[in-house]
Amino acid sequence: MGIGGNLLGYHVLDPVAAVVVGLMVARMGWKFGWDALNDLMDRAADAETVAAIRQTMLETPGVQGVHDLRTRKMGDQVLVDVHLEIDANLTVAEGHAIAAEAHRRTMARHNVLSVMTHADPVYVAAETRRR
Ligand SMILES: [Zn+2]
């Protein structure tokens, strides 16, 4: 368009075409740069994956609730960090077994590299306790 316009006498089309091409190149540069930067930096897993992992943990018997679930992508795998709410009246061994099971299920069902669990005691009424 720039060359054609120039030959036809529309000299303004040449710099306009140059600006358009320049913008296209700049846009591509920005996009590639942004993608590369994201790959280099820590990134959380997508919302769908996080929701699925949360669901797996909540389905584990004895897990009363989940909070501070954090994820980081490492390659195509995910590192998980989570606080599990566990009945405060259980023994340490019982609470540990619940956390270990939540860990096992998460590793088995999701593309997860590691799961770090932290146990938070919660006081729950017997009738609302999740089993
Ligand atoms: Zn906590």
Side-chain angles (χ1 to χ4, degrees):
M1 259 180 64
I3 295 167
N6 217 8
L7 291 174
L8 292 172
Y10 299 103
H11 299 291
V12 74
L13 282 179
D14 196 34
V16 166
V19 167
V20 169
V21 170
L23 285 174
M24 284 163 70
V25 170
R27 188 174 161 276
M28 261 161 64
W30 168 258
K31 192 179 174 307
F32 287 137
W34 182 249
D35 287 349
L37 207 64
N38 270 330
D39 285 342
L40 286 173
M41 291 190 309
D42 279 349
R43 229 176 358 163
D46 57 275
E48 202 180 315
T49 303
V50 174
I53 290 171
R54 177 186 297 274
Q55 191 55 35
T56 293
M57 288 173 169
L58 283 172
E59 283 169 4
T60 306
V63 174
Q64 309 295 331
V66 169
H67 66 265
D68 289 357
L69 172 58
R70 289 180 305 177
T71 59
R72 265 182 304 146
K73 291 272 282 180
M74 192 149 122
D76 67 330
Q77 294 203 299
V78 179
L79 307 175
V80 182
D81 219 278
V82 68
H83 288 207
L84 300 176
E85 294 164 20
I86 295 173
D87 184 353
N89 294 305
L90 297 178
T91 65
V92 172
E94 288 167 329
H96 175 265
I98 290 166
E101 176 61 11
H103 179 279
R104 190 193 66 74
R105 289 177 180 218
T106 305
M107 296 291 286
R109 289 186 200 167
H110 306 281
N111 192 15
V112 162
L113 190 63
S114 86
V115 183
M116 189 68 205
T117 61
H118 169 89
D120 278 321
V122 288
Y123 296 88
V124 282
E127 59 269 23
T128 59
R129 196 167 288 155
R130 299 168 62 119
R131 299 250 171 226

